[in-house]
Amino acid sequence: MLAFVEHRWPSLWPWIQLMRLDRPIGSMLLMWPTLWALWIAGDGTPSLKHIVIFVLGVYVMRAAGCVINDFADRDFDGHVTRTRERPLATGALSVKQALLLFCGLGLLAFVLVLFLNRFTLLLSFGGLALAMLYPFTKRFTYLPQLFLGAAFSWAIPMAFAAETGAVPEIAWLLFVTNLLWTVGYDTEYAMCDREDDLKIGVKSTAILFGDLDRLMVGVLQALTLVALWLVGQRLGLSGPWYLGLAGMAAGFVHQQWRIRYRQPGPCFQAFLSNHWAGASVFAGLYFHYLISA
């Protein structure tokens, strides 16, 4: 479908690239923890309205995040191998066009949240602030992945607020869980660009961890699994949940094998495979509620 758009309406292609609609991995990594939260908050039967709103919100906010990220990195992307063809780096789109698109996407996200309760609406401003802050954090901290993790996890308390009108302790445990997972997989992503980032002065956990990068990714992955195990214990989840965690653990082992030589290509493939890790956990959760109904 996107290939057809690129061929038939080439003028639209830079806009699609700017929103990363041609690279859905980020949306999926944002989607899975959001669905975890909705299913747990809804005790296996979340509101269809909430599912639709949050799924649409994931795609809109991820697109908005990519636009503001490219705006922040417009003077750097041209010097990084992986990003030098992005629309703002090549001049295919202007800064003004990017900012107008960001405002439009932000407005669309706001309209979606208006269909939810007041508490969720108030929480949404925190998510917007994190999405706008993250792209600039790589200028002043070696932990931008921590801010990304917070931004990617903010839909979790919002989902609980929408479904239950409250944000219980289990929601914050899920928030921390996803934060750990995100820092781990985005460190793999940052390992792809480490040499270019060092040249241009952009900071990341991959640079901070140095030769301990693989170990630290492994520690973060182990902590993610422990935290998800605790979620299962707190909620009394059954066998399918733990099978889902086993699937995630197997994926993490394979990722460690992929990143063993720290080569950009395999590191990027390891990052991409986190989609399946998240899907495995959701599958375990879904089948737990299915057989428990």
Side-chain angles (χ1 to χ4, degrees), residues 53 56-57 60 103-116 121 124:
I53 289 173
L56 291 174
V60 171
C103 291
L105 290 167
L107 180 60
L108 179 55
F110 182 69
V111 170
L112 288 171
V113 177
L114 288 177
F115 290 94
L116 303 174
L121 173 62
S124 71

Side-chain angles (χ1 to χ4, degrees), residues 80 82 134 138 142-145 148 182-198 202-209 213 217 259 262-264 267-268 271:
V80 178
R82 186 179 52 82
Y134 158 68
K138 63 193 76 172
Y142 284 99
L143 295 169
Q145 281 69 29
L148 179 69
T182 306
V183 174
Y185 67 63
D186 205 55
T187 298
E188 294 174 335
Y189 190 59
M191 289 168 69
C192 303
D193 299 333
R194 179 161 40 198
E195 297 307 316
D196 288 329
D197 287 346
L198 283 168
V202 171
K203 299 176 175 64
S204 71
T205 48
I207 294 172
L208 175 66
F209 296 152
D213 50 2
V217 169
I259 67 174
R262 300 179 173 88
Q263 296 172 334
C267 286
F268 185 66
F271 160 75

Side-chain angles (χ1 to χ4, degrees), residues 137-154:
T137 57
K138 63 193 76 172
R139 310 291 191 278
F140 61 83
T141 176
Y142 284 99
L143 295 169
Q145 281 69 29
L146 191 64
F147 290 88
L148 179 69
F152 265 44
S153 303
W154 199 252

